[in-house]
Amino acid sequence: MTDTIDTAEQPRIAFNDGRSIPQIGLGVFDMAEKETAALVSTAIAAGYRHIDTATLYGNEAGVGEGVRQAAQEYGVPRDEVFVTTKLWSTEHGRDRTLAAFEKSERLLGLGPVDLYLIHWPSPQRGLYVETWRTLIELKEEGRILSIGVSNFNAEQLDRLIGETGVTPAINQIECHPAFQQRALREANADRGIVTESWGPLGRGNLLSHPVLARIAEKHERTAAHVMIRWHVQSGLVVIPKSAKPERIRANFDVFDFALDEEDMAAITAMDAPGGRVGPNPDTANW
């Protein structure tokens, strides 16, 4: 058995349902199924205790296998690893949601799912409230431990809460230094919803940004370290992705330095209305 690093100091963010989530996770978007298990196991050995996948990614089985490998090879039990997966837009509606969840549950093979999200609101389908009610049922049955959403705006959040009485634990949104979504983050916080950042490195577009390069040089770190640390100090859950073991390990190495007020202010000034790099949830036709 190989020793893993001490994760006692890894921060967790509290949910409104009494549970909590490790603040840094591994995103596995666009990770090949055949590589996923080994990379997930590598991440867990490096200290990660949070893995983020989705039906769309096509690698849920690999995630489950990676968690099991880590238990066998590194002695990290299943209940120490927080696993998120997500419902794709074509599966909205009660019957489709139940079937899609059961497939994800089977592919993961890990027992209760720690966190299940509606991946996109897909408002043109008009089914996200019905879908949310179904997630509530699955949580009440104990098959999901926490439920949340991704890419929802404040109006959509209020509709879910108003029509069901159940507030999402988390809203996963595009967020990075060039597109900080401060208004939506504030809306989430006002409702007791945690904000989680996808695309936290701007899909790689910010790695050579001069502001980040200057701060990285100051701290003898990389621009990726600076961005991940910015998310951590901003109270955001962050899920950087990489399919390279050395980068997976490096991305987790952010707990022994801190950005100062000047650094944080410089990054705040990077925010731009046109900084979005992913689809706009209000216009995406999934």
Side-chain angles (χ1 to χ4, degrees):
M1 183 181 296
T2 303
D3 290 337
T4 56
I5 72 165
D6 180 7
T7 60
E9 299 303 317
Q10 180 180 175
R12 298 180 71 96
I13 301 294
F15 281 163
N16 57 31
D17 63 5
R19 302 182 69 244
S20 65
I21 185 171
Q23 192 171 11
I24 297 182
L26 175 71
V28 300
F29 171 69
D30 212 24
M31 190 177 285
E33 172 73 43
K34 64 182 180 181
E35 300 174 354
T36 301
L39 292 169
V40 166
S41 182
T42 293
I44 293 171
Y48 290 80
R49 294 295 181 269
H50 171 192
I51 310 296
D52 181 277
T53 185
T55 295
L56 179 68
Y57 305 167
N59 55 21
E60 290 169 309
V63 168
E65 181 58 29
V67 173
R68 289 187 290 273
Q69 284 182 15
Q72 181 176 2
E73 297 175 13
Y74 307 117
V76 180
R78 157 67 186 106
D79 61 6
E80 287 188 12
V81 183
F82 190 105
V83 177
T84 300
T85 192
K86 311 179 195 75
L87 176 81
W88 186 237
S89 300
T90 55
E91 308 308 316
H92 282 205
R94 187 176 187 277
D95 292 344
R96 285 184 175 273
T97 296
L98 288 172
F101 173 76
E102 287 170 0
K103 182 177 180 181
S104 292
E105 184 181 43
R106 183 174 66 254
L107 288 170
L108 287 166
L110 297 172
V113 174
D114 295 283
L115 177 63
Y116 196 53
L117 307 181
I118 301 176
H119 205 156
W120 293 83
S122 299
Q124 76 280 3
R125 296 179 183 273
L127 292 170
Y128 64 79
V129 174
E130 179 182 332
T131 300
W132 183 242
R133 291 187 192 280
T134 309
L135 267 61
I136 294 169
E137 289 181 32
L138 289 164
K139 183 178 185 296
E140 290 172 346
E141 292 173 2
R143 297 168 71 184
I144 304 170
L145 302 182
S146 292
I147 54 177
V149 297
S150 184
N151 301 300
F152 275 57
N153 63 33
E155 181 181 355
Q156 291 160 346
L157 293 171
D158 285 341
R159 187 176 172 204
L160 289 184
I161 298 165
E163 295 192 26
T164 70
V166 177
T167 301
I170 200 165
N171 187 14
Q172 186 182 117
I173 60 174
E174 179 182 347
C175 184
H176 47 79
F179 190 64
Q180 297 176 24
Q181 298 238 59
R182 280 175 281 180
L184 183 50
R185 285 161 51 194
E186 184 175 349
N188 289 337
D190 288 345
R191 292 156 179 78
I193 299 170
V194 172
T195 297
E196 181 172 19
S197 305
W198 65 257
L201 308 183
R203 291 189 169 173
N205 295 340
L206 302 177
L207 293 173
S208 60
H209 194 286
V211 170
L212 299 172
R214 175 178 55 78
I215 297 171
E217 182 178 9
K218 170 182 171 180
H219 293 279
E220 298 183 337
R221 295 290 178 143
T222 67
H225 286 138
V226 170
M227 284 187 276
I228 295 168
R229 187 68 206 180
W230 174 79
H231 288 275
V232 169
Q233 291 183 214
S234 298
L236 305 167
V237 178
V238 55
I239 47 171
K241 65 169 286 285
S242 178
K244 296 183 177 181
E246 63 275 15
R247 288 185 184 172
I248 289 173
R249 287 187 283 264
N251 285 344
F252 196 73
D253 186 23
V254 295
F255 299 119
D256 59 352
F257 82 105
L259 304 175
D260 59 30
E261 291 184 8
E262 181 183 5
D263 300 331
M264 294 294 284
I267 295 173
T268 295
M270 289 176 57
D271 194 18
R276 187 192 297 274
V277 296
N280 186 330
D282 296 331
T283 56
N285 188 26
W286 304 125

